[in-house]
Amino acid sequence: MNPLLQHLQPYPFERLRLLFEEASAPSELRPISLGIGEPRHATPAFIQDSLMGNLSGLASYPATAGDVRLRQACSQWLQRRYGIAVDAGTQILPVNGSREALFSFAQTILDPTQPGATVLCPNPFYQIYEGAALLAGAQPYFVSSDPARNFAVDWDSVPAEVWAKTQLIYVCSPGNPTGAVMPLDEWKKLFDLSDRYGFVIASDECYSEIYFRDEPPLGGLEAAVQLGRTDYRNLVAFTSLSKRSNVPGLRSGFVAGDAKLLKSFLLYRTYHGGAMGLPIQHASIAAWSDEAHVEHNRALYKEKFAAVMPILEPVMEVRLPDAGFYLWPRIPDALGMDEAEFARALYEQTHVTVLPGSYLARNVHGHNPGAQRVRMALVAETAECVEAAQRIADFIQKNVK
């Protein structure tokens, strides 16, 4: 067996299963899960129709680079969304969801023969980053976010000797679980450091289309263009239809950026078997070419957060995120519970599931930035999320010491 597998930590949802293993919830209350970030709004009918109408494509092997029409649809979406030019032939690759691409990209980029090969990850973070680094033979280095600065990642805390060994950085903006969007000055900082030390930036942007204010979140490629980096050097952005179009089971997204990096990534994917099936490509073209369903989806989330926030704000330290569909509240000290105790007691008393924040982070300098926080995924319908929020508020009020 690959000895690197032993370095992988249990996935957050496995830890949650173990936490609840001997817990029992009140059977008279219907279960409500805010624990898993799986979109639950209806998949648009026109995407389903496009998938079903192109099943003849199952008879053909797809090209790893994808159909030119799909790459063009992705390029046109980037132009409409961010006002940037990305070459469909050399700067875009379709992928089977951003998760598999975020993982396999590290296998392409990292050189474990270099002493101390390092991957920087935000903290808290999406655990795929850590696993990708470890299985590529590198060491993850966790950079904590700062609640006092809108959960901005504290890049200034990274020592020069770590930067010198860094080969890859994972950036998540909008962030999971904090919902924070990285501003232009932070992008400039990372680009300057990339020029100095030569590392690659992988920008995870799968939550970019769920936001609550008039201005959409800044994207990595967009930031690069604003800063004169029109070749997108050492930058690849990852995006997905799962959250944008409510099709997590379609497993469809694309990567875009530095043509040199994507040429190597395509070579890797040719051997890895990363080609997207033709029916999925057709459905993806339809999804990327339409914005009306995205606007409707965004409106549903706005309605949901507007209904939930007034219920939770009086009892918890919680704020509306910049974007995404998560809340990242702090547990009241007066409860006398840590985040795991809170999640278990909440489940046992209210049948509501939330994810302990420490499961999404790692200890750095003796502190876990997910401590005393939980992640709530507002993915269910509005009425169900409101009911969950009210149960949480009642639970807190009942248990405050």
Side-chain angles (χ1 to χ4, degrees):
M1 300 298 290
N2 184 342
L4 296 175
L5 285 168
Q6 65 184 330
H7 298 302
L8 298 180
Q9 298 203 34
Y11 214 59
F13 307 117
E14 172 62 14
R15 296 179 66 183
L16 188 65
R17 185 190 68 78
L18 292 174
L19 179 68
F20 290 172
E21 196 167 41
E22 296 181 2
S24 59
S27 58
E28 69 275 12
L29 294 175
R30 65 168 175 166
I32 302 179
S33 177
L34 308 181
I36 299 179
E38 180 181 50
R40 287 166 56 188
H41 296 166
T43 299
F46 77 92
I47 299 177
Q48 299 181 53
D49 292 343
S50 180
L51 179 69
M52 297 300 295
N54 289 282
L55 293 181
S56 61
L58 293 174
S60 302
Y61 281 118
T64 305
D67 189 288
V68 64
R69 291 169 294 179
L70 173 56
R71 298 197 307 273
Q72 288 172 342
C74 297
S75 176
Q76 290 162 3
W77 178 76
L78 288 169
Q79 173 64 47
R80 293 194 306 271
R81 170 63 172 83
Y82 297 108
I84 59 176
V86 180
D87 184 81
T90 62
Q91 295 179 314
I92 289 177
L93 281 178
V95 296
N96 295 309
S98 57
R99 175 175 175 158
E100 71 89 0
L102 288 161
F103 177 85
S104 58
F105 187 67
Q107 318 308 302
T108 303
I109 295 299
L110 296 175
D111 178 3
T113 67
Q114 296 299 310
T118 298
V119 175
L120 263 59
C121 302
N123 194 29
F125 64 102
Y126 183 40
Q127 195 159 319
I128 293 301
Y129 309 155
E130 177 188 55
L134 291 170
L135 287 176
Q139 288 299 314
Y141 183 95
F142 301 104
V143 191
S144 295
S145 61
D146 182 0
R149 296 172 49 240
N150 188 32
F151 299 103
V153 178
D154 187 11
W155 304 114
D156 292 335
S157 69
V158 180
E161 59 268 23
V162 173
W163 286 119
K165 297 177 182 178
T166 297
Q167 298 183 15
L168 176 65
I169 288 187
Y170 282 109
V171 172
C172 188
S173 179
N176 172 10
T178 68
V181 173
M182 200 160 79
L184 187 63
D185 60 340
E186 292 288 311
W187 279 111
K188 184 178 187 307
K189 180 181 297 183
L190 286 190
F191 291 150
D192 289 345
L193 288 163
S194 174
D195 289 343
R196 187 185 315 166
Y197 295 104
F199 58 75
V200 171
I201 302 170
S203 181
D204 181 356
E205 303 178 9
C206 68
Y207 297 94
S208 68
E209 303 312 289
I210 302 171
Y211 53 89
F212 310 102
R213 298 169 180 86
D214 293 335
E215 184 176 354
L218 178 70
L221 301 178
E222 181 184 20
V225 169
Q226 291 182 17
L227 295 168
R229 304 170 68 89
T230 54
D231 59 353
Y232 310 118
R233 60 187 177 277
N234 280 340
L235 172 66
V236 173
F238 298 69
T239 193
S240 165
L241 288 172
S242 295
K243 280 80 174 177
R244 174 187 183 273
S245 298
N246 296 305
V247 287
L250 196 65
R251 308 313 303 139
S252 177
F254 70 87
V255 300
D258 187 324
K260 182 179 178 181
L261 297 177
L262 292 189
K263 183 178 180 180
S264 296
F265 195 29
L266 174 59
L267 174 62
Y268 174 90
R269 296 179 68 75
T270 301
Y271 282 83
H272 182 67
M276 181 186 294
L278 291 175
I280 294 176
Q281 291 195 50
H282 281 285
S284 301
I285 291 170
W288 288 118
S289 301
D290 180 80
E291 287 300 317
H293 77 286
V294 183
E295 294 170 0
H296 173 68
N297 189 46
R298 190 157 50 240
L300 292 177
Y301 281 111
K302 286 183 177 179
E303 173 189 273
K304 196 179 309 186
F305 275 78
V308 165
M309 292 297 290
I311 300 172
L312 295 179
E313 284 175 327
V315 296
M316 305 185 81
E317 181 186 313
V318 63
R319 52 165 293 174
L320 183 71
D322 291 339
F325 52 46
Y326 299 115
L327 287 176
W328 185 237
R330 192 176 187 281
I331 299 165
D333 292 336
L335 287 174
M337 302 177 183
D338 66 23
E339 65 282 355
E341 292 168 336
F342 176 89
R344 177 165 173 147
L346 180 71
Y347 175 76
E348 290 179 325
Q349 295 184 35
T350 73
H351 221 156
V352 172
T353 300
V354 297
L355 189 65
S358 58
Y359 292 6
L360 298 164
R362 297 289 180 260
N363 289 335
V364 175
H365 306 305
H367 174 67
N368 186 311
Q372 295 304 115
R373 292 187 181 274
V374 293
R375 192 186 74 175
M376 301 177 183
L378 300 191
V379 291
E381 297 299 326
T382 298
E384 191 171 344
C385 288
V386 167
E387 182 178 347
Q390 191 60 62
R391 290 189 203 174
I392 293 169
D394 292 344
F395 167 84
I396 292 172
Q397 291 171 333
K398 174 184 174 183
N399 287 278
V400 165
K401 297 180 178 179

